[in-house]
Amino acid sequence: MDLSAGHVWVMISAALVLLMTPGVAFFYGGMTRAKAALNMMMMSFVSIGLVGVIWVLWGFSMTGGDGIAGLFGNPFTSFGLEDILGTEDLITAGYGATFAIITVALISGAVADRTKFGAWAVFVPVWVTLVYCPLAFMVWGGGLLGAEGAIGSVVGEAIDFAGGTVVHINAGVAGLVLALILGKRMGFGKDPNQRPHNIPFVMLGATLLWFGWFGFNGGAAGTAEEAGLIWINTLAAPAAAMLGWLLTERLRDGRATSLGAASGVVAGLVAITPACANVSPLAAVGLGLVAGVLSALAVGLKYRFGYDDSLDVVGVHLVAGLVGTLALGFIALPADGVGGGLFYGGGLGQLGAQAAAAAVAIVFSGVLTLLIGLAIHKTMGFRISEEDEVNGVDLSEHAETAYEFGGLGTGGSFSPFPDSARTTTTKETVNS
């Protein structure tokens, strides 16, 4: 089999999507306190390791092939990818792995600054196996929400080109559930030291995400025309969302912020994900504006309702994911002149299908994540101690710190050394 341009494009797209997870690490790492930055980044990096192995063993198999009750594929059909050796399906398997990796990495932002690394390392493979893989099968693998599935055959097949339900609604709901299980950070809403410690990291992360998102959305393009539409929409929607977020900040707070610019870009990328191949560029601009404004307003809800979604996974990924998914019911382009959203004369059918898919994703992810999270929380414990939270999760979980402050006091009460090492160092300094 010759290596075609299409094969090369999917492989490049997979590499772009894989780069997005380190992008998430920078994005989230910069948003945390200095003494939690490494832990935040490690939660993304270990997700690559864990999910990469799981995907080869049984994850890929569970997202396609012969379904079990329309919920998931047989995990043993392609166990270890043995049955697809020597086929181009390995390229597809690699591409799919990167989606699973970034989905679970996104969840980590909701529980920043207070999560046991060991508990997270248990959560990742269990959640990917029981939540991500089944939902991916339901939407993309011919399961319940497919055209011939038990739900899709009744309400119609929902459009989710690159992961509005499978990735963003799924991760947003899971993040909310874990945030509720773990509870609030100490000083939530009161401690000014919980502000982002490195905004340049945040903007670098957003840049890497936007760059990688062209592969995220465009990797599955079937024609040059479709690829062009996806590329333009992946440019236009986040650009408009950034402007919408900044305008909202300006009117509400009197200032447009760098953090807002980066967050607006991500909100627009999330919103266009399910719709990238099915809306016009003009509609993509409108979708981005709406997503930017609504997400900017939504991130403040955690203070009103009292849930500590540390890095706004709910406000950005769940809200913008819902906006993009449901908007298709209004602005989806007709396929060969047939169907389309309500604004194109397609009736309410597509909106019903989109709403049903979103509802299934919310309930399925919410219930399963609750069971997994509670099981871990009640056994090994999901949250670090108050003392470790004060000293910093980097030090307690990894015996490392992101920065060496050199005793200048720039880190406040944060010490880069364990107590014993600090005591020894002090004595040696005095004796010398």
Side-chain angles (χ1 to χ4, degrees):
M1 179 189 69
D2 294 329
L3 188 64
S4 70
H7 296 141
V8 173
W9 170 237
V10 176
M11 293 171 69
I12 291 174
S13 294
L16 288 171
V17 181
L18 183 60
L19 180 65
M20 291 170 65
T21 298
V24 169
F26 275 107
F27 188 81
Y28 283 169
M31 290 178 69
T32 62
R33 296 186 293 179
K35 55 187 176 182
L38 288 182
N39 177 258
M40 194 72 263
M41 300 182 83
M42 276 292 290
M43 290 170 79
S44 287
F45 271 81
V46 79
S47 297
I48 299 175
L50 292 167
V51 180
V53 172
I54 292 298
W55 199 256
V56 170
L57 295 178
W58 63 78
F60 172 71
S61 187
M62 289 183 66
T63 60
D66 297 328
I68 298 176
L71 294 174
F72 56 88
N74 187 333
F76 302 106
T77 299
S78 297
F79 187 86
L81 306 183
E82 292 288 336
D83 67 322
I84 61 173
L85 287 176
T87 73
E88 62 184 52
D89 289 340
L90 285 171
I91 298 176
T92 303
Y95 184 55
T98 60
F99 280 70
I101 289 167
I102 194 170
T103 301
V104 72
L106 290 173
I107 300 170
S108 65
V111 291
D113 221 3
R114 62 196 188 279
T115 303
K116 288 183 179 179
F117 186 70
W120 177 254
V122 172
F123 173 80
V124 168
V126 175
W127 188 86
V128 167
T129 300
L130 299 182
V131 183
Y132 178 85
C133 290
L135 192 57
F137 178 79
M138 290 183 218
V139 176
W140 293 329
L144 289 178
L145 296 170
E148 298 180 1
I151 296 175
S153 61
V154 175
V155 301
E157 184 178 15
I159 299 171
D160 187 4
F161 190 83
T165 52
V166 178
V167 177
H168 299 294
I169 294 176
N170 194 7
V173 171
L176 176 59
V177 171
L178 288 190
L180 293 173
I181 291 174
L182 269 69
K184 306 173 188 177
R185 289 166 292 174
M186 297 173 60
F188 169 67
K190 301 176 182 178
D191 184 359
N193 291 320
Q194 289 182 351
R195 292 176 297 185
H197 88 282
N198 194 325
I199 297 297
F201 268 17
V202 178
M203 301 193 80
L204 172 62
T207 301
L208 292 173
L209 284 169
W210 200 346
F211 178 69
W213 223 290
F214 287 97
F216 192 81
N217 284 348
T223 65
E225 294 81 2
E226 185 174 62
L229 178 63
I230 291 170
W231 201 100
I232 290 296
N233 286 347
T234 306
L235 169 68
M242 175 173 59
L243 299 179
W245 191 300
L246 293 177
L247 178 61
T248 302
E249 283 189 329
R250 179 69 178 177
L251 295 176
R252 182 188 60 195
D253 309 321
R255 296 289 189 277
T257 67
S258 302
L259 180 61
S263 300
V265 166
V266 175
L269 290 166
V270 170
I272 199 59
T273 293
C276 58
N278 299 93
V279 300
S280 70
L282 184 60
V285 170
L287 176 59
L289 282 171
V290 172
V293 171
L294 292 183
S295 291
L297 295 173
V299 296
L301 294 178
K302 62 185 179 183
Y303 300 108
R304 177 175 297 180
F305 294 110
Y307 61 90
D308 188 4
D309 170 26
S310 310
L311 309 183
D312 302 320
V313 178
V314 177
V316 174
H317 293 277
L318 178 56
V319 170
L322 284 169
V323 169
T325 297
L326 297 177
L328 281 161
F330 299 93
I331 60 176
L333 293 168
D336 298 322
V338 179
L342 185 62
F343 294 168
Y344 288 90
L348 295 173
Q350 193 63 56
L351 180 60
Q354 299 303 123
V360 169
I362 290 171
V363 173
F364 184 80
S365 181
V367 171
L368 269 294
T369 303
L370 179 64
L371 295 176
I372 297 168
L374 285 176
I376 295 174
H377 194 54
K378 297 298 182 181
T379 52
M380 65 186 299
F382 222 134
R383 181 167 179 161
I384 60 175
S385 68
E386 290 187 3
E387 180 181 359
D388 287 340
E389 189 173 340
V390 171
N391 292 331
V393 66
D394 286 355
L395 201 57
S396 67
E397 295 297 301
H398 308 289
E400 296 177 302
T401 60
Y403 306 97
E404 171 56 73
F405 292 105
L408 298 178
T410 54
S413 61
F414 171 45
S415 170
F417 302 107
D419 289 340
S420 59
R422 184 172 63 249
T423 302
T424 302
T425 302
T426 303
K427 289 179 179 179
E428 291 175 350
T429 302
V430 172
N431 293 334
S432 63

